[in-house]
PDB file of all heavy atoms in Angstrom:
ATOM      1  N   PRO A 227     -27.729  80.116  52.320  1.00  0.00           N
ATOM      2  CA  PRO A 227     -26.965  79.841  53.451  1.00  0.00           C
ATOM      3  C   PRO A 227     -27.139  78.458  53.935  1.00  0.00           C
ATOM      4  O   PRO A 227     -26.285  78.006  54.687  1.00  0.00           O
ATOM      5  CB  PRO A 227     -27.548  80.853  54.443  1.00  0.00           C
ATOM      6  CG  PRO A 227     -28.741  81.393  53.964  1.00  0.00           C
ATOM      7  CD  PRO A 227     -28.766  81.269  52.441  1.00  0.00           C
ATOM      8  N   LYS A 228     -28.121  77.824  53.607  1.00  0.00           N
ATOM      9  CA  LYS A 228     -28.387  76.399  54.095  1.00  0.00           C
ATOM     10  C   LYS A 228     -27.874  75.340  53.107  1.00  0.00           C
ATOM     11  O   LYS A 228     -27.839  74.198  53.494  1.00  0.00           O
ATOM     12  CB  LYS A 228     -29.959  76.105  54.237  1.00  0.00           C
ATOM     13  CG  LYS A 228     -30.493  76.864  55.448  1.00  0.00           C
ATOM     14  CD  LYS A 228     -31.815  76.389  55.809  1.00  0.00           C
ATOM     15  CE  LYS A 228     -32.301  77.124  56.986  1.00  0.00           C
ATOM     16  NZ  LYS A 228     -33.808  77.444  56.922  1.00  0.00           N
ATOM     17  N   ALA A 229     -27.392  75.884  51.954  1.00  0.00           N
ATOM     18  CA  ALA A 229     -26.840  74.923  51.033  1.00  0.00           C
ATOM     19  C   ALA A 229     -25.515  74.331  51.348  1.00  0.00           C
ATOM     20  O   ALA A 229     -24.675  75.032  51.893  1.00  0.00           O
ATOM     21  CB  ALA A 229     -26.759  75.540  49.737  1.00  0.00           C
ATOM     22  N   LYS A 230     -25.356  73.031  51.134  1.00  0.00           N
ATOM     23  CA  LYS A 230     -24.019  72.463  51.293  1.00  0.00           C
ATOM     24  C   LYS A 230     -23.174  72.606  50.065  1.00  0.00           C
ATOM     25  O   LYS A 230     -23.776  72.458  48.909  1.00  0.00           O
ATOM     26  CB  LYS A 230     -24.098  71.026  51.568  1.00  0.00           C
ATOM     27  CG  LYS A 230     -24.749  70.571  52.992  1.00  0.00           C
ATOM     28  CD  LYS A 230     -23.620  70.688  54.031  1.00  0.00           C
ATOM     29  CE  LYS A 230     -24.234  70.671  55.531  1.00  0.00           C
ATOM     30  NZ  LYS A 230     -24.855  69.356  55.852  1.00  0.00           N
ATOM     31  N   PHE A 231     -22.026  72.960  50.283  1.00  0.00           N
ATOM     32  CA  PHE A 231     -21.067  73.208  49.083  1.00  0.00           C
ATOM     33  C   PHE A 231     -20.214  71.938  48.975  1.00  0.00           C
ATOM     34  O   PHE A 231     -19.442  71.546  49.849  1.00  0.00           O
ATOM     35  CB  PHE A 231     -20.275  74.385  49.249  1.00  0.00           C
ATOM     36  CG  PHE A 231     -19.136  74.579  48.082  1.00  0.00           C
ATOM     37  CD1 PHE A 231     -19.660  74.647  46.776  1.00  0.00           C
ATOM     38  CD2 PHE A 231     -17.927  74.652  48.260  1.00  0.00           C
ATOM     39  CE1 PHE A 231     -18.760  74.745  45.728  1.00  0.00           C
ATOM     40  CE2 PHE A 231     -16.913  74.719  47.307  1.00  0.00           C
ATOM     41  CZ  PHE A 231     -17.467  74.836  45.961  1.00  0.00           C
ATOM     42  N   ILE A 232     -20.345  71.159  47.933  1.00  0.00           N
ATOM     43  CA  ILE A 232     -19.691  69.929  47.751  1.00  0.00           C
ATOM     44  C   ILE A 232     -18.776  70.009  46.409  1.00  0.00           C
ATOM     45  O   ILE A 232     -19.137  70.515  45.302  1.00  0.00           O
ATOM     46  CB  ILE A 232     -20.587  68.618  47.641  1.00  0.00           C
ATOM     47  CG1 ILE A 232     -21.649  68.703  46.507  1.00  0.00           C
ATOM     48  CG2 ILE A 232     -21.394  68.566  49.027  1.00  0.00           C
ATOM     49  CD1 ILE A 232     -22.515  67.463  46.411  1.00  0.00           C
ATOM     50  N   ALA A 233     -17.558  69.450  46.531  1.00  0.00           N
ATOM     51  CA  ALA A 233     -16.587  69.709  45.420  1.00  0.00           C
ATOM     52  C   ALA A 233     -15.800  68.431  45.159  1.00  0.00           C
ATOM     53  O   ALA A 233     -15.465  67.574  46.064  1.00  0.00           O
ATOM     54  CB  ALA A 233     -15.627  70.779  45.871  1.00  0.00           C
ATOM     55  N   HIS A 234     -15.396  68.406  43.930  1.00  0.00           N
ATOM     56  CA  HIS A 234     -14.428  67.270  43.413  1.00  0.00           C
ATOM     57  C   HIS A 234     -12.928  67.639  43.761  1.00  0.00           C
ATOM     58  O   HIS A 234     -12.585  68.773  43.701  1.00  0.00           O
ATOM     59  CB  HIS A 234     -14.641  67.057  41.931  1.00  0.00           C
ATOM     60  CG  HIS A 234     -14.040  65.597  41.483  1.00  0.00           C
ATOM     61  ND1 HIS A 234     -12.710  65.595  41.244  1.00  0.00           N
ATOM     62  CD2 HIS A 234     -14.667  64.515  41.241  1.00  0.00           C
ATOM     63  CE1 HIS A 234     -12.505  64.373  40.871  1.00  0.00           C
ATOM     64  NE2 HIS A 234     -13.636  63.625  40.918  1.00  0.00           N
ATOM     65  N   PRO A 235     -12.205  66.622  44.172  1.00  0.00           N
ATOM     66  CA  PRO A 235     -10.878  67.039  44.507  1.00  0.00           C
ATOM     67  C   PRO A 235      -9.940  67.459  43.325  1.00  0.00           C
ATOM     68  O   PRO A 235      -8.775  67.890  43.512  1.00  0.00           O
ATOM     69  CB  PRO A 235     -10.249  65.809  45.314  1.00  0.00           C
ATOM     70  CG  PRO A 235     -11.030  64.652  44.691  1.00  0.00           C
ATOM     71  CD  PRO A 235     -12.419  65.209  44.475  1.00  0.00           C
ATOM     72  N   GLU A 236     -10.450  67.443  42.171  1.00  0.00           N
ATOM     73  CA  GLU A 236      -9.658  68.046  41.052  1.00  0.00           C
ATOM     74  C   GLU A 236      -9.805  69.558  41.126  1.00  0.00           C
ATOM     75  O   GLU A 236      -9.102  70.265  40.286  1.00  0.00           O
ATOM     76  CB  GLU A 236     -10.205  67.583  39.677  1.00  0.00           C
ATOM     77  CG  GLU A 236      -9.879  66.084  39.362  1.00  0.00           C
ATOM     78  CD  GLU A 236     -10.452  65.577  38.047  1.00  0.00           C
ATOM     79  OE1 GLU A 236     -10.771  66.389  37.169  1.00  0.00           O
ATOM     80  OE2 GLU A 236     -10.639  64.401  37.955  1.00  0.00           O
ATOM     81  N   CYS A 237     -10.629  70.151  41.890  1.00  0.00           N
ATOM     82  CA  CYS A 237     -10.770  71.599  42.068  1.00  0.00           C
ATOM     83  C   CYS A 237      -9.501  72.164  42.779  1.00  0.00           C
ATOM     84  O   CYS A 237      -8.834  71.493  43.506  1.00  0.00           O
ATOM     85  CB  CYS A 237     -11.953  71.998  42.879  1.00  0.00           C
ATOM     86  SG  CYS A 237     -13.505  71.612  42.254  1.00  0.00           S
ATOM     87  N   GLU A 238      -9.321  73.442  42.464  1.00  0.00           N
ATOM     88  CA  GLU A 238      -8.143  74.122  43.153  1.00  0.00           C
ATOM     89  C   GLU A 238      -8.378  74.272  44.652  1.00  0.00           C
ATOM     90  O   GLU A 238      -9.463  74.214  45.119  1.00  0.00           O
ATOM     91  CB  GLU A 238      -7.984  75.524  42.558  1.00  0.00           C
ATOM     92  CG  GLU A 238      -7.463  75.488  41.088  1.00  0.00           C
ATOM     93  CD  GLU A 238      -7.314  76.802  40.472  1.00  0.00           C
ATOM     94  OE1 GLU A 238      -8.138  77.738  40.803  1.00  0.00           O
ATOM     95  OE2 GLU A 238      -6.526  76.997  39.579  1.00  0.00           O
ATOM     96  N   GLU A 239      -7.166  74.331  45.333  1.00  0.00           N
ATOM     97  CA  GLU A 239      -7.216  74.431  46.885  1.00  0.00           C
ATOM     98  C   GLU A 239      -8.200  75.482  47.412  1.00  0.00           C
ATOM     99  O   GLU A 239      -8.815  75.188  48.330  1.00  0.00           O
ATOM    100  CB  GLU A 239      -5.805  74.642  47.233  1.00  0.00           C
ATOM    101  CG  GLU A 239      -5.607  74.376  48.751  1.00  0.00           C
ATOM    102  CD  GLU A 239      -4.180  74.617  49.288  1.00  0.00           C
ATOM    103  OE1 GLU A 239      -3.283  74.989  48.504  1.00  0.00           O
ATOM    104  OE2 GLU A 239      -3.991  74.506  50.462  1.00  0.00           O
ATOM    105  N   SER A 240      -8.192  76.555  46.783  1.00  0.00           N
ATOM    106  CA  SER A 240      -9.048  77.715  47.344  1.00  0.00           C
ATOM    107  C   SER A 240     -10.358  77.410  47.196  1.00  0.00           C
ATOM    108  O   SER A 240     -11.249  77.837  48.058  1.00  0.00           O
ATOM    109  CB  SER A 240      -8.778  79.070  46.487  1.00  0.00           C
ATOM    110  OG  SER A 240      -8.967  78.819  45.157  1.00  0.00           O
ATOM    111  N   ILE A 241     -10.864  76.589  46.250  1.00  0.00           N
ATOM    112  CA  ILE A 241     -12.300  76.185  46.129  1.00  0.00           C
ATOM    113  C   ILE A 241     -12.552  75.033  47.176  1.00  0.00           C
ATOM    114  O   ILE A 241     -13.554  75.147  47.847  1.00  0.00           O
ATOM    115  CB  ILE A 241     -12.538  75.618  44.703  1.00  0.00           C
ATOM    116  CG1 ILE A 241     -12.164  76.676  43.648  1.00  0.00           C
ATOM    117  CG2 ILE A 241     -13.947  75.108  44.617  1.00  0.00           C
ATOM    118  CD1 ILE A 241     -13.116  77.948  43.523  1.00  0.00           C
ATOM    119  N   LEU A 242     -11.604  74.142  47.254  1.00  0.00           N
ATOM    120  CA  LEU A 242     -11.808  73.025  48.195  1.00  0.00           C
ATOM    121  C   LEU A 242     -11.853  73.482  49.610  1.00  0.00           C
ATOM    122  O   LEU A 242     -12.613  72.931  50.492  1.00  0.00           O
ATOM    123  CB  LEU A 242     -10.639  72.016  48.029  1.00  0.00           C
ATOM    124  CG  LEU A 242     -10.564  71.267  46.689  1.00  0.00           C
ATOM    125  CD1 LEU A 242      -9.357  70.352  46.733  1.00  0.00           C
ATOM    126  CD2 LEU A 242     -11.757  70.454  46.403  1.00  0.00           C
ATOM    127  N   ALA A 243     -11.193  74.638  49.857  1.00  0.00           N
ATOM    128  CA  ALA A 243     -11.325  75.235  51.376  1.00  0.00           C
ATOM    129  C   ALA A 243     -12.596  75.632  51.745  1.00  0.00           C
ATOM    130  O   ALA A 243     -12.935  75.694  52.930  1.00  0.00           O
ATOM    131  CB  ALA A 243     -10.283  76.472  51.283  1.00  0.00           C
ATOM    132  N   LEU A 244     -13.528  75.839  50.814  1.00  0.00           N
ATOM    133  CA  LEU A 244     -14.895  76.222  51.143  1.00  0.00           C
ATOM    134  C   LEU A 244     -15.796  75.056  51.339  1.00  0.00           C
ATOM    135  O   LEU A 244     -17.011  75.264  51.692  1.00  0.00           O
ATOM    136  CB  LEU A 244     -15.456  77.159  49.979  1.00  0.00           C
ATOM    137  CG  LEU A 244     -14.790  78.511  49.589  1.00  0.00           C
ATOM    138  CD1 LEU A 244     -15.527  79.128  48.464  1.00  0.00           C
ATOM    139  CD2 LEU A 244     -14.867  79.383  50.858  1.00  0.00           C
ATOM    140  N   ALA A 245     -15.327  73.855  50.906  1.00  0.00           N
ATOM    141  CA  ALA A 245     -16.289  72.748  50.732  1.00  0.00           C
ATOM    142  C   ALA A 245     -16.660  72.076  52.069  1.00  0.00           C
ATOM    143  O   ALA A 245     -15.904  71.919  52.987  1.00  0.00           O
ATOM    144  CB  ALA A 245     -15.591  71.682  49.783  1.00  0.00           C
ATOM    145  N   ASP A 246     -17.968  71.769  52.103  1.00  0.00           N
ATOM    146  CA  ASP A 246     -18.393  70.911  53.312  1.00  0.00           C
ATOM    147  C   ASP A 246     -18.132  69.415  53.067  1.00  0.00           C
ATOM    148  O   ASP A 246     -18.028  68.703  53.983  1.00  0.00           O
ATOM    149  CB  ASP A 246     -20.028  71.035  53.366  1.00  0.00           C
ATOM    150  CG  ASP A 246     -20.489  72.483  53.586  1.00  0.00           C
ATOM    151  OD1 ASP A 246     -20.008  72.931  54.814  1.00  0.00           O
ATOM    152  OD2 ASP A 246     -21.042  73.121  52.770  1.00  0.00           O
TER     153      ASP A 246
END
Side-chain angles (χ1 to χ4, degrees):
K228 290 193 179 144
K230 289 278 170 66
F231 176 57
I232 60 177
H234 194 280
E236 286 175 25
C237 295
E238 290 176 328
E239 194 181 356
S240 57
I241 303 290
L242 295 179
L244 297 179
D246 297 296

